[in-house]
Amino acid sequence: MTEGETKVFRLAYVPGVTPAKWVNIWSERTPDVPIDLAAVPAAEVVGLLRDGGADAGFVRLPVDRDGLSVIPLYVETTVVVVPKDHAVAAVEELTTADLADDEVLHPLDDTIEWTARPGLPAFTRPATTAEAIELVAAGAGLLLVPQSLARLHHRRDLTYRPVSDAPQSQVALAWPTDATTDLVEDFIGIVRGRTVNSSRGRTPASPPAEKPARRQPQKPAKNGTGRRATPARRKGKGHRPR
């Protein structure tokens, strides 16, 4: 950043993450530093951080943590997206075993870490979750995704149900370890829920209170002759009457 250039905090986030609440707090606490938001595909956000294209980013775990600092934030429920007329739509919740006879799509940008994928392999692997959603709507298979992605790609002809025993996706805040700037520290404090008065936060809540002035010992006032006045409570040593 050159001298005189306006500071900007660059924040990346993957689809499904809604950073609005943290951005609003940032704007209140750091109004002199605007925040630049960038929606980035999950498969590209780590590369963007390593290349210096963003100061920090919300990612979906697991990611390659080499050179990155990562703070896990929250876990999302995994849901299955189905056409509204599918039998799954009639239940409140299901398990992966309930999908044994269904073709399940596995997009290349899948963010769920599977040990064994449920259902039958679909005829193709779409490149993105958005393309997989289109295939679900066409009746070409079902799709398991974090709930926020199901909401992001909501369609009137589709619905979703929780899958109780499916692996879950975890959202985290990540940033290059070697670029942990003061602005990054400020944003970490916001995400962690620290108040503006927190001793661990960098941004001060308000200017430090001024210390009261030290009271100076009062000197006895001088009378008109230039001599120090005798305190009233002390009697002067006058001549005793004879």
Side-chain angles (χ1 to χ4, degrees), residues 1-236:
M1 183 177 295
T2 60
E3 186 176 354
E5 186 178 351
T6 303
K7 287 184 179 179
V8 175
F9 184 70
R10 300 163 303 164
L11 179 65
Y13 64 97
V14 296
V17 175
T18 305
K21 64 178 180 180
W22 298 299
V23 171
N24 290 339
I25 296 173
W26 174 276
S27 299
E28 293 172 1
R29 295 186 186 179
T30 320
D32 56 327
V33 181
I35 194 164
D36 184 16
L37 294 173
V40 182
E44 299 176 14
V45 65
V46 169
L48 181 72
L49 292 171
R50 290 202 179 111
D51 293 342
D55 298 299
F58 291 106
V59 303
R60 288 188 185 277
L61 301 181
V63 295
D64 180 1
R65 300 193 182 198
D66 185 31
L68 297 180
S69 295
V70 177
I71 300 175
L73 298 177
Y74 59 90
V75 174
E76 283 196 73
T77 299
T78 297
V79 301
V80 59
V81 182
V82 301
K84 280 192 172 180
D85 59 357
H86 194 279
V88 165
V91 302
E92 293 291 328
E93 184 179 271
L94 65 155
T95 66
T96 53
D98 296 324
L99 304 174
D101 298 329
D102 290 287
E103 292 188 0
V104 178
L105 294 156
H106 184 198
L108 296 176
D109 65 352
D110 187 12
T111 58
I112 299 175
E113 192 172 29
W114 296 96
T115 53
R117 291 195 58 82
L120 304 172
F123 72 100
T124 185
R125 286 198 67 184
T128 66
T129 297
E131 292 178 16
I133 291 287
E134 295 294 330
L135 291 173
V136 175
L142 310 183
L143 176 65
L144 286 97
V145 291
Q147 184 169 299
S148 65
L149 287 181
R151 290 173 175 168
L152 177 67
H153 297 290
H154 172 71
R155 291 175 51 125
R156 292 183 179 180
D157 53 349
L158 300 180
T159 187
Y160 60 85
R161 293 293 183 269
V163 182
S164 60
D165 61 343
Q168 295 177 313
S169 173
Q170 190 169 24
V171 173
L173 178 68
W175 69 95
T177 302
D178 292 339
T180 308
T181 64
D182 287 342
L183 293 179
V184 171
E185 289 284 5
D186 285 345
F187 193 75
I188 292 170
I190 289 172
V191 171
R192 284 189 178 276
R194 297 177 198 156
T195 65
V196 73
N197 292 322
S198 171
S199 60
R200 297 185 64 188
R202 189 185 69 86
T203 306
S206 58
E210 296 183 1
K211 295 182 179 180
R214 181 179 296 178
R215 295 184 62 184
Q216 299 293 332
Q218 295 182 353
K219 297 180 179 180
K222 296 181 179 181
N223 57 25
T225 61
R227 297 178 180 177
R228 296 186 184 279
T230 303
R233 66 176 180 274
R234 295 179 59 191
K235 295 181 180 181

